[in-house]
Amino acid sequence: MFNKVQNQSIHSIHSMEEKEEEEEDVSFERLMNSQIKVEDRSSVLLREIKLMQELQHFGRERIPERVVHAKGSAAFGHFRVTNDHIIQYCKASLFADVDKETPVAVRFSSVTGERGSADTVFGEMRGFAVKFYTEEGVWDLVGNNVPIFAIRDASQFPAFIHANKPNPRTGLRDQNSVWDFNSLRSETLNLITYVFSDFGIPNGFRHMPGFSINAFKLVNSHNKHVFAKFHWYPHQGIDNLDIDTAAYLRGVNPDYARQDLFDAITNHRYPKWTLKIQVMNQKDVDNLEFNAFDATKYWPEDRFPFIDVGVMTLDRNVDNFFAETEQLAFCPSNLVDGIEPSPDRMLMGRLFSYSDTQRYRLGSNHQLIPVNEPINGAITPTLRDGQMRVDNNFDGLPNYYPNSFSLITDNPVYLEPPFTIKTTKVFRYDDSNDHNYIRN
């Protein structure tokens, strides 16, 4: 009897020890994810490093929102040359051969809406920006889903956007501001008639055309130049929503266009667009009845017909929205050999503004973020230091040029050809009524 009781007691002791060991294991796991305290239910100590790091990082997860094109969606794919006709106009390597492919990233967006706004808003443009990862560096072709812009002078751009943003007092959209600005700047009429037509609400991004809006100078291998505008036309067809359907979608799925693009690529229904150009030589520019570099004007198709260049296919969704959509940065100043700015005054402003904005939003080294980095590693060696310099910062090479120590040399192949500026006077010019209406 005694032995039996003793054995039971010993067994109970072992059971209690095993239970305590299990509790110790569980407690250790829980303790690693709990707070350090003086006593139970007392104050938390500032020596709680893990908690502080979590809170510090959490408070910094958001980066500044884009002032324009804040709500966007991105995808990746490739561009394939299908017509070598462009070679006579442009020496850029990505156009060198038929069937040549270049990786691309594309970001579609609303223009004036905030990051959480709906995709099916009526009466505004959409963004259509393409980043080409060429062997000569990055080329950013930044445009919209309409072929013209509201204004022709970059000095009016902040006012145009402010008029379309929420009222500074109420924080609400104010149609009085929109139409007040439009009525005072009559060059906006061309855009207004477009975005308030049946083309005003694209049926998702896949059915949306894209336009460079600005003209660019194309230079060939003989250093002869023409001017060109770029156009994207969807193989899926151009399709738009009626007002009632768009209003319904704003309520049930504000991310309708984003989801449509993501689902199509996931299901291997890869969207495609044909790239076309219009070409104008210097004689055409000189004889045109309006300013060829006015972003509020079309180039007549019957006089400057479309030329097929190639086909873009999007076949990969982003792996991480923040890394590859929010940090995807476009700058019209990212050009490659054979593509140069034209005298377009809107483009002149964009060359500065976009690059400056990305440096504010993402940092001075935004070009080193993987989604923005050129595949040939072509980063200017004099652009050093700054926030988030995550590469080797060119090691010990001099940060000035020319220098006697590095192997960097001038390459005359990439020298821009000279051009002539005919303007003899410099003055402020009121262009508010510059060929806004033409009587046929």
Side-chain angles (χ1 to χ4, degrees):
M1 181 73 177
F2 175 79
N3 290 337
K4 184 177 181 180
V5 172
Q6 186 182 38
N7 290 337
Q8 288 178 343
S9 300
I10 294 172
H11 177 73
S12 299
I13 292 171
H14 286 314
S15 299
M16 292 175 62
E17 290 176 349
E18 291 173 1
K19 185 176 181 181
E20 288 175 357
E21 289 177 0
E22 290 177 0
E23 288 180 351
E24 287 178 1
D25 292 339
V26 173
S27 297
F28 178 76
E29 293 177 1
R30 291 176 179 171
L31 281 173
M32 292 302 295
N33 290 286
S34 62
Q35 300 174 0
I36 298 176
K37 304 176 182 179
V38 178
E39 291 180 354
D40 188 32
R41 298 182 181 178
S42 66
S43 300
V44 178
L45 297 179
L46 282 177
R47 71 181 301 279
E48 173 50 289
I49 298 171
K50 182 176 182 297
L51 171 64
M52 298 307 156
Q53 289 181 343
E54 290 282 350
L55 294 177
Q56 289 165 354
H57 187 87
F58 180 75
R60 292 163 174 80
E61 284 182 358
R62 297 293 175 264
I63 59 177
E65 179 177 291
R66 290 171 168 91
V67 178
V68 288
H69 302 281
K71 171 74 180 292
S73 304
F76 298 88
H78 62 272
F79 171 78
R80 181 175 64 86
V81 178
T82 59
N83 188 336
D84 61 2
H85 197 67
I86 192 174
I87 297 174
Q88 64 181 300
Y89 301 118
C90 184
K91 60 184 176 181
S93 65
L94 78 154
F95 301 129
D97 301 295
V98 172
D99 290 330
K100 182 168 184 176
E101 292 190 354
T102 301
V104 298
V106 181
R107 188 176 186 271
F108 306 100
S109 58
S110 60
V111 174
T112 61
E114 293 75 25
R115 189 180 289 168
S117 59
D119 291 336
T120 56
V121 173
F122 179 51
E124 73 164 31
M125 300 172 289
R126 269 68 175 175
F128 194 124
V130 183
K131 185 182 293 289
F132 295 82
Y133 300 95
T134 84
E135 58 202 23
E136 295 180 308
V138 166
W139 173 37
D140 287 343
L141 182 59
V142 184
N144 291 329
N145 71 318
V146 294
I148 68 282
F149 201 63
I151 51 177
R152 61 173 67 96
D153 191 325
S155 67
Q156 288 294 315
F157 184 73
F160 168 65
I161 295 300
H162 287 162
N164 284 271
K165 286 285 190 178
N167 183 289
R169 176 170 178 262
T170 66
L172 302 172
R173 292 303 177 101
D174 188 348
Q175 291 302 313
N176 289 325
S177 298
V178 174
W179 293 106
D180 181 46
F181 180 84
N182 291 340
S183 68
L184 296 173
R185 300 297 304 193
S186 54
E187 70 267 34
T188 63
L189 180 60
N190 205 2
L191 177 69
I192 291 170
T193 57
Y194 198 100
V195 298
F196 284 95
S197 73
D198 291 341
F199 291 97
I201 316 173
N203 183 10
F205 301 130
R206 295 185 300 118
H207 295 284
M208 199 170 77
F211 304 92
S212 67
I213 300 176
N214 302 121
F216 290 84
K217 180 192 289 187
L218 302 186
V219 181
N220 66 14
S221 57
H222 303 291
N223 279 341
K224 303 296 182 181
H225 77 269
V226 296
F227 297 99
K229 287 192 174 186
F230 297 87
H231 308 265
W232 298 101
Y233 287 95
H235 289 205
Q236 302 76 235
I238 298 174
D239 190 27
N240 300 280
L241 299 171
D242 62 78
I243 294 178
D244 291 337
T245 303
Y248 170 78
L249 289 171
R250 285 199 297 275
V252 299
N253 187 3
D255 301 319
Y256 167 75
R258 175 179 292 172
Q259 183 171 355
D260 177 72
L261 176 67
F262 188 91
D263 289 349
I265 295 175
T266 299
N267 296 321
H268 306 291
R269 294 183 287 112
Y270 303 135
K272 297 182 179 183
W273 286 262
T274 293
L275 177 63
K276 301 173 182 283
I277 59 171
Q278 286 179 287
V279 174
M280 191 182 292
N281 60 38
Q282 189 63 54
K283 184 178 179 180
D284 294 326
V285 170
D286 295 338
N287 294 330
L288 200 63
E289 61 272 21
F290 59 86
N291 180 5
F293 308 113
D294 181 345
T296 69
K297 303 288 196 300
Y298 303 97
W299 286 3
E301 297 175 24
D302 56 341
R303 296 166 60 183
F304 308 102
F306 293 135
I307 300 170
D308 284 5
V309 178
V311 174
M312 177 175 69
T313 304
L314 299 182
D315 55 12
R316 181 175 78 81
N317 283 312
V318 299
D319 291 324
N320 180 273
F321 187 85
F322 177 83
E324 297 181 312
T325 301
E326 285 300 292
Q327 293 193 130
L328 184 56
F330 293 90
C331 305
S333 56
N334 286 340
L335 300 167
V336 292
D337 187 37
I339 305 174
E340 299 178 9
S342 75
D344 185 323
R345 281 181 290 166
M346 272 300 300
L347 178 59
M348 295 297 104
R350 296 173 81 200
L351 294 177
F352 167 80
S353 179
Y354 278 62
S355 296
D356 182 65
T357 297
Q358 303 301 0
R359 284 174 168 82
Y360 160 72
R361 197 174 68 86
L362 298 172
S364 55
N365 291 301
H366 66 276
Q367 74 277 7
L368 295 179
I369 297 172
V371 73
N372 300 320
E373 193 173 14
I375 59 176
N376 66 347
I379 303 294
T380 306
T382 54
L383 301 181
R384 299 288 185 91
D385 305 342
Q387 292 178 327
M388 295 301 294
R389 189 75 201 204
V390 295
D391 65 350
N392 61 9
N393 204 21
F394 294 99
D395 293 324
L397 293 178
N399 60 354
Y400 58 91
Y401 182 80
N403 66 74
S404 304
F405 309 101
S406 65
L407 300 178
I408 301 172
T409 57
D410 289 319
N411 189 341
V413 171
Y414 297 107
L415 184 66
E416 302 93 337
F419 60 94
T420 301
I421 298 178
K422 296 182 180 180
T423 303
T424 56
K425 295 181 180 179
V426 178
F427 59 96
R428 291 191 182 275
Y429 174 66
D430 179 13
D431 63 1
S432 59
N433 289 300
D434 191 357
H435 291 86
N436 294 335
Y437 319 107
I438 297 177
R439 178 177 294 177
N440 293 327

